[in-house]
Amino acid sequence: EPVVPGSVLVDDGTIIPSAYRERRVALAWDQQGERLGWRIEGHVQRLRYIDTLVADEKEHGIMLGVDYRLTPTMTLTGWASAERTEYVQLAAEDDTRRAGLVLEKRWTPHWATSLSWYRYERDSGVFDNEVRQNVWYLWVSYGNRPR
């Protein structure tokens, strides 16, 4: 008989089969120049689960990002974020930090490649464990609309 899994860990969160009400406020500032662009974003959110066996969550975080055009066809992007999630009924917290670098090269108006590195760290008070992960991506992409 098929069974719905209790939880599935995906990147920065856990997917569970429980409905919730989300309240979220985010504020961002984005500035783009000819060669340099940057972005800063902060957020707070609260998740209240309908299932009383799932702990409600309070979260706040910040993200900073910078884009620098090295040449007309090559861009370097860097970003970092940090957030804290409090599990209300459990009196426990997760601290999550992420960072990344992306080097993108446009070969034609439709074709591009990029090399990306992402760092992910989580210190969890829920399961009393740590997660450390480095991920590398090599992308080749085609867009049907020129950029």
Side-chain angles (χ1 to χ4, degrees):
E1 171 179 320
V3 177
V4 175
S7 66
V8 178
L9 183 62
V10 176
D11 189 25
D12 65 343
T14 304
I15 298 173
I16 60 174
S18 295
Y20 58 86
R21 183 175 69 190
E22 177 181 16
R23 292 189 177 182
R24 181 180 177 96
V25 174
L27 181 63
W29 183 266
D30 192 329
Q31 183 70 41
Q32 287 297 103
E34 188 67 29
R35 290 186 73 128
L36 181 66
W38 57 271
R39 176 179 180 84
I40 184 169
E41 179 179 329
H43 75 272
V44 294
Q45 80 175 10
R46 180 169 180 116
L47 303 180
R48 289 191 177 199
Y49 287 90
I50 293 171
D51 184 352
T52 57
L53 298 177
V54 179
D56 293 343
E57 300 176 19
K58 293 182 188 175
E59 179 182 288
H60 60 276
I62 189 165
M63 188 277 296
L64 305 166
V66 176
D67 299 320
Y68 184 73
R69 189 177 321 273
L70 299 168
T71 70
T73 60
M74 191 177 301
T75 304
L76 180 64
T77 300
W79 59 271
S81 69
E83 60 191 35
R84 173 167 284 168
T85 305
E86 177 188 341
Y87 300 93
V88 179
Q89 292 91 333
L90 301 177
E93 296 176 340
D94 282 352
D95 289 318
T96 304
R97 294 163 304 281
R98 293 182 203 84
L101 288 172
V102 180
L103 181 62
E104 181 183 46
K105 168 71 174 165
R106 293 232 148 257
W107 299 98
T108 70
H110 297 282
W111 287 97
T113 56
S114 66
L115 178 63
S116 306
W117 166 78
Y118 298 106
R119 174 71 178 173
Y120 175 86
E121 297 180 356
R122 175 179 279 171
D123 298 319
S124 179
V126 177
F127 301 112
D128 195 28
N129 65 10
E130 298 178 348
V131 176
R132 304 286 185 263
Q133 175 177 301
N134 288 301
V135 179
W136 289 89
Y137 293 103
L138 178 60
W139 298 85
V140 176
S141 62
Y142 174 83
N144 63 355
R145 295 185 183 136
R147 288 192 199 187

